[in-house]
Amino acid sequence: MHLRTKHMSDQVAEAGAFSRGHLRLLVTTGPEDLLHGLQRYDLWSRIGFMEIKRRYRRTVIGPFWGTISLAIFIAVMSTVGIGLWKQTLGEYMPFLASGMMVWLLISTMINESCTLFVNSQHLFSRMRMDYSILAFALVWRNLIGFLHNLAVYLLIAIVVLPALINLSLLWIIPGLFLISLNGVWVALLLGMTCVRFRDVQQLIITLLQISLFITPVFWPPDLLTGITALVFVKFNPLYSFIDVVRAPLLGKTPMLSSYAMIALITLVGWIATLRLFSRFRKRIAFWV
Amino acid sequence: MATILVENVDLDYPIYGMQRSLRRAFFQNAAGGFINKKDPHHRHVTVSALTQVSFQLTDGDRLGLIGHNGAGKSSLLKVLAGVYHPTRGKVWVDGKITSLFELALGVDADDTGYETVVTAGMLLGMTQAEIESKIPEIERFSELGEYLSLPVRTYSMGMTTRLGFSLATVLEPEILLIDEGIGAGDARFTERASKRLHELARQSAIMVLASHTDDLIRQICNKAALLTSGRIIKIGPVDEILSEYHSEKARLEAQPAAE
């Protein structure tokens, strides 16, 4: 035993001359983090699902409370909107309901992104972790939340305009995929930014509140003309993301320009995030 | 063969959002590492938690980290775990690393014992099927019985420890990193826990344990490292290092707060 210890301390002394052939460097790069994180779908889907499960706990209807408040909002807002923009109930209510659902999905993801790392410190300060797992879990959890609201939407559609329930609804799937694909980079980017600069979260909350009103969620996009239409509809990235899910829900095809806009945002967003995430990943543990 | 090779590792913590006055207060109270301000290019105050740490561990090594509070034991463990990335220097490893830094599993206090164990096991790298196959063993070891179906928030401190420790015992780590705080729990459980810790130490190829408990280090470790202000002052046989630590401690206590 004693001999062994001595032997070991000799080895310590020789550490410098040690061959490193079979050793791996204890460093995770950004792309490795994302790849390994994605492969742990069992883990991030569980983390996401448990989050939803906690909302059900000790309540009778759990996350449906969010859905109920959405339903009440839509009922009240519809009566106002129909008067304001001279719409029919069958036209306006599904428009508002679908728009609000997608808006809630997107804005909740953005809001929660700001606290991605701040709230999960207890996890990654105890063990090595692929941070991307947290981002995937966030997106997954919000998709499950969206499905709750979708149930309400289908109910509204059946009551006011049954013709909306048809196979073109399936086009929401690529739309949701695009939102998720972008949700992951937004989560990582905002998560990093907000954990380093704590003011950013307040800024994002403010911007989101304003965005709800300047994006065609309540009001029909074709009401605007000229330059305002360009700014708030055509070149409004939030509108593109809403369009690719809302249009199929309303039995329409999303605009090609929406897909083009999303393709551009996906590309730019992922490139920027990959660069920043690769560079600053190792500092996240210190920023928290 | 499991290996850890640490080469000239420095770890500087950046400290953010410090007010000037607070910064000054920090200087006067440098209990642990050094606080650097000298470098004008550094916009932030940093604390050197580790300085020029180098060592190598291979199969069979059980290293005990000894030192005062703030000497850098936990920082070193976190660097080995891959939680903190060293500011300078490199860490090379061969083997799967498992870190147990806190026995409160830290998932969510509203989850039941079962749920917590499964999520925590998966976080530590097991698959859901693997951890679920260990549930009977966890039930037996934790002796929590019906409590496992209740939220962790209803547990006492000792029960939380038991749950955490029972998870620790079903892991099959190659390189195991443990940070103290294993003492809690009633006397009978502590005895069983330390027995299991021995078994774990035997199973894992390498173990690094930070502790203030001499007996624990004596029982489990076959070598020790003395840390002071983020440096490894000495590394060698357990008894030698422990006596060095105590003589240094006695010396410090003999000359009170002169500075």
Side-chain angles (χ1 to χ4, degrees):
Chain A
M1 166 76 183
H2 192 77
L3 267 177
R4 180 179 178 76
T5 313
K6 186 160 186 328
H7 171 66
M8 288 302 162
S9 39
D10 287 345
Q11 276 198 356
V12 170
E14 289 161 13
F18 189 79
S19 130
R20 299 181 189 98
H22 58 294
L23 296 181
R24 70 193 147 89
L25 199 55
L26 196 62
V27 175
T28 312
T29 65
E32 274 171 2
D33 183 309
L34 278 160
L35 204 67
H36 295 161
L38 191 60
Q39 285 165 352
R40 291 302 311 272
Y41 53 87
D42 58 334
L43 179 55
W44 52 255
S45 61
R46 182 179 172 87
I47 296 177
F49 175 75
M50 291 301 290
E51 199 75 33
I52 299 277
K53 200 171 170 185
R54 278 173 211 135
R55 284 180 213 166
Y56 273 105
R57 229 161 240 156
R58 299 173 69 180
T59 70
V60 182
I61 51 173
F64 279 105
W65 273 115
T67 305
I68 287 172
S69 77
L70 177 65
I72 296 171
F73 175 83
I74 288 165
V76 177
M77 189 64 206
S78 289
T79 51
V80 178
I82 289 167
L84 266 179
W85 295 298
K86 321 248 175 313
Q87 307 267 309
T88 65
L89 181 77
E91 202 178 16
Y92 187 72
M93 208 169 185
F95 168 82
L96 177 67
S98 56
M100 273 309 288
M101 268 167 57
V102 190
W103 170 260
L104 277 178
L105 170 67
I106 295 172
S107 64
T108 313
M109 284 207 292
I110 294 177
N111 263 326
E112 290 182 355
S113 297
C114 294
T115 52
L116 184 72
F117 295 126
V118 181
N119 286 351
S120 305
Q121 185 191 5
H122 57 283
L123 297 179
F124 58 78
S125 65
R126 293 172 191 207
M127 60 196 96
R128 199 207 75 84
M129 192 174 177
D130 292 311
Y131 293 108
S132 62
I133 286 175
L134 300 170
F136 293 126
L138 182 150
V139 170
W140 182 246
R141 164 173 92 226
N142 278 291
L143 282 178
I144 299 177
F146 177 81
L147 292 183
H148 285 87
N149 293 340
L150 189 64
V152 170
Y153 177 75
L154 295 178
L155 211 67
I156 292 179
I158 289 168
V159 174
V160 287
L161 203 66
L164 285 179
I165 311 288
N166 60 46
L167 273 181
S168 73
L169 274 180
L170 291 178
W171 278 101
I172 68 168
I173 293 170
L176 289 175
F177 173 76
L178 289 173
I179 289 181
S180 309
L181 186 64
N182 283 279
V184 176
W185 75 254
V186 169
L188 288 173
L189 188 68
L190 281 182
M192 279 192 296
T193 314
C194 294
V195 80
R196 175 65 186 86
F197 304 102
R198 301 291 165 108
D199 302 283
V200 177
Q201 185 183 358
Q202 302 305 320
L203 180 70
I204 299 280
I205 292 173
T206 311
L207 289 181
L208 272 177
Q209 280 168 351
I210 299 167
S211 303
L212 173 60
F213 295 99
I214 61 171
T215 305
V217 176
F218 304 139
W219 42 273
D222 46 19
L223 284 186
L224 288 186
T225 50
I227 191 93
T228 47
L230 277 184
V231 174
F232 297 121
V233 181
K234 263 264 171 338
F235 293 118
N236 181 344
L238 288 170
Y239 180 64
S240 302
F241 282 105
I242 290 174
D243 186 48
V244 292
V245 176
R246 175 161 68 179
L249 284 173
L250 296 173
K252 294 177 198 155
T253 327
M255 296 180 298
L256 208 58
S257 62
S258 296
Y259 286 116
M261 176 65 116
I262 289 177
L264 183 72
I265 291 170
T266 310
L267 196 70
V268 173
W270 267 109
I271 290 174
T273 303
L274 271 177
R275 295 190 70 133
L276 289 167
F277 187 54
S278 297
R279 178 147 179 225
F280 294 113
R281 183 193 177 278
K282 60 187 178 195
R283 300 213 198 145
I284 293 173
F286 297 113
W287 284 342
V288 170
Chain B
M1 189 178 77
T3 308
I4 300 179
L5 174 58
V6 179
E7 289 183 319
N8 304 321
V9 161
D10 287 358
L11 180 71
D12 297 344
Y13 284 102
I15 309 284
Y16 297 100
M18 289 246 301
Q19 296 302 309
R20 188 162 275 270
S21 58
L22 191 61
R23 199 180 283 192
R24 206 169 289 145
F26 214 82
F27 269 98
Q28 290 162 359
N29 190 17
F34 291 105
I35 291 102
N36 302 327
K37 207 180 88 177
K38 49 184 185 286
D39 183 356
H41 301 296
H42 273 239
R43 286 180 303 123
H44 306 292
V45 179
T46 60
V47 177
S48 327
L50 295 173
T51 311
Q52 288 292 307
V53 171
S54 299
F55 61 88
Q56 187 195 340
L57 300 173
T58 45
D59 277 1
D61 284 351
R62 282 109 195 50
L63 177 70
L65 300 179
I66 300 167
H68 302 285
N69 289 325
K73 301 186 297 292
S74 298
S75 297
L76 180 53
L77 281 176
K78 286 192 172 184
V79 167
L80 296 179
V83 171
Y84 289 146
H85 186 87
T87 314
R88 284 167 291 276
K90 289 190 168 74
V91 180
W92 304 79
V93 288
D94 181 19
K96 183 174 161 265
I97 299 172
T98 304
S99 49
L100 282 173
F101 294 159
E102 278 166 71
L103 288 176
L105 300 170
V107 183
D108 190 292
D110 271 334
D111 293 354
T112 67
Y114 284 120
E115 287 167 344
T116 301
V117 163
V118 173
T119 313
M122 288 168 74
L123 281 165
L124 287 165
M126 298 170 105
T127 66
Q128 185 156 2
E130 271 168 6
I131 179 74
E132 274 170 359
S133 72
K134 303 283 189 187
I135 294 264
E137 205 176 324
I138 290 171
E139 283 168 338
R140 211 170 331 116
F141 187 76
S142 68
E143 294 185 335
L144 286 169
E146 294 291 301
Y147 274 98
L148 282 171
S149 316
L150 294 183
V152 173
R153 130 179 83 74
T154 63
Y155 290 15
S156 69
M157 192 72 161
M159 287 162 76
T160 312
T161 312
R162 262 148 70 174
L163 185 67
F165 206 85
S166 60
L167 176 72
T169 60
V170 300
L171 299 166
E172 284 152 11
E174 289 177 276
I175 299 172
L176 182 63
L177 310 172
I178 297 189
D179 202 352
E180 42 205 347
I182 299 156
D186 56 47
R188 194 178 75 84
F189 184 79
T190 309
E191 198 180 301
R192 290 177 60 218
S194 96
K195 215 175 106 196
R196 274 313 271 268
L197 200 62
H198 278 91
E199 279 171 37
L200 259 182
R202 261 205 308 282
Q203 283 165 18
S204 53
I206 296 180
M207 180 158 166
V208 183
L209 167 75
S211 178
H212 284 290
T213 319
D214 289 4
D215 283 343
L216 194 66
I217 296 222
R218 270 202 191 94
Q219 282 167 22
I220 287 175
C221 302
N222 55 19
K223 61 199 294 191
L226 176 61
L227 277 99
T228 306
S229 304
R231 286 172 191 275
I232 291 193
I233 300 296
K234 205 168 178 188
I235 189 161
V238 173
D239 287 328
E240 197 179 299
I241 302 293
L242 275 174
S243 65
E244 173 114 7
Y245 170 61
H246 287 294
S247 65
E248 192 205 274
K249 203 160 107 182
R251 207 179 58 235
L252 280 177
E253 277 160 10
Q255 35 168 261
E259 179 60 29

